[in-house]
Amino acid sequence: MPRRFLRRLLPDHATLTKNAFLRRYAHWFAHPNLWHLNRHSVAGGVAAGMIGGLIPGPLQVITASLLALGFRVNLPVAVFATFYTNPLTIGPLYWVAVQLGSFITGLGGGAHVPPMPGWSGLTLLEWTQAMWHWMLSLGMPLLIGLPVLAALLAVVGFFAVHGIWRVYIWLALRKRARRQHRRSSWPQ
């Protein structure tokens, strides 16, 4: 993977120790795998982020961070991977989760999904409460579908990173071999 690009984009352990709020928790972030940019750590970070991303509300980053700390995978990648969910994608993802849960449980056979609450005239607290009541109205299909969808996305993300990383390495080695072949075939 393009490590230089990722290193510029992602924070490191030193950045966290400079943060006044996180300084007291710095010992939790000391494990080297939390910061390594290797295939296994990044793939695990993406999987943790995929799971954390489907948790409602502001708990996404916290969940992804705890999973990254627990499984010793790349922490910044896990946090960054949670951003696949946003106000535009959360509705369709929850719809897929409800449909998946309906299929697994056999309840509601393609359950009717009530309309998602809009932002018009609502404060953040009112919208959060409306979102919570909307999720409760979906019931068992959502309760079953969300963890299943999170697990599926985590597995797909994990293996996608492994595959993309391998293709990148293969292409880089091939490019290097071509360069060496050209150098060795030049007349001297």
Side-chain angles (χ1 to χ4, degrees):
M1 255 354 230
R3 289 185 190 186
R4 285 184 217 141
F5 173 73
L6 287 175
R7 284 201 178 125
R8 279 184 283 147
L9 186 68
L10 300 173
D12 59 351
H13 186 260
T15 305
L16 287 180
T17 57
K18 291 177 187 172
N19 185 313
F21 175 72
L22 295 175
R23 189 175 303 133
R24 69 181 115 175
Y25 305 110
H27 64 279
W28 290 359
F29 304 110
H31 197 280
N33 272 352
L34 296 174
W35 309 101
H36 278 188
L37 288 173
N38 58 43
R39 182 176 66 223
H40 304 292
S41 186
V42 171
V46 168
M50 291 289 142
I51 291 171
L54 284 179
I55 304 292
L59 300 175
Q60 296 174 334
V61 171
I62 294 169
T63 303
S65 299
L66 291 174
L67 287 170
L69 287 169
F71 288 107
R72 308 261 194 239
V73 296
N74 194 290
L75 177 65
V77 169
V79 169
F80 185 71
T82 63
F83 296 128
Y84 77 97
T85 56
N86 56 56
L88 295 176
T89 61
I90 198 71
L93 284 168
Y94 273 44
W95 180 81
V96 170
V98 168
Q99 297 303 317
L100 190 59
S102 295
F103 176 75
I104 291 170
T105 61
L107 296 175
H112 170 70
V113 179
M116 199 171 144
W119 280 99
S120 60
L122 296 178
T123 65
L124 180 61
L125 180 63
E126 291 170 338
W127 182 82
T128 304
Q129 290 172 340
M131 191 69 170
W132 177 254
H133 291 295
W134 176 74
M135 287 182 353
L136 288 177
S137 71
L138 298 174
M140 188 59 74
L142 181 66
L143 185 66
I144 299 297
L146 269 180
V148 171
L149 181 61
L152 287 172
L153 289 173
V155 168
V156 168
F158 183 84
F159 287 113
V161 168
H162 271 281
I164 291 168
W165 200 291
R166 285 179 187 263
V167 167
Y168 179 83
I169 296 294
W170 179 75
L171 290 172
L173 289 174
R174 202 168 145 199
K175 184 178 177 181
R176 184 189 309 168
R178 272 189 263 141
R179 242 186 333 214
Q180 288 175 348
H181 178 69
R182 274 186 272 153
R183 285 184 191 151
S184 65
S185 64
W186 284 1
Q188 304 208 6

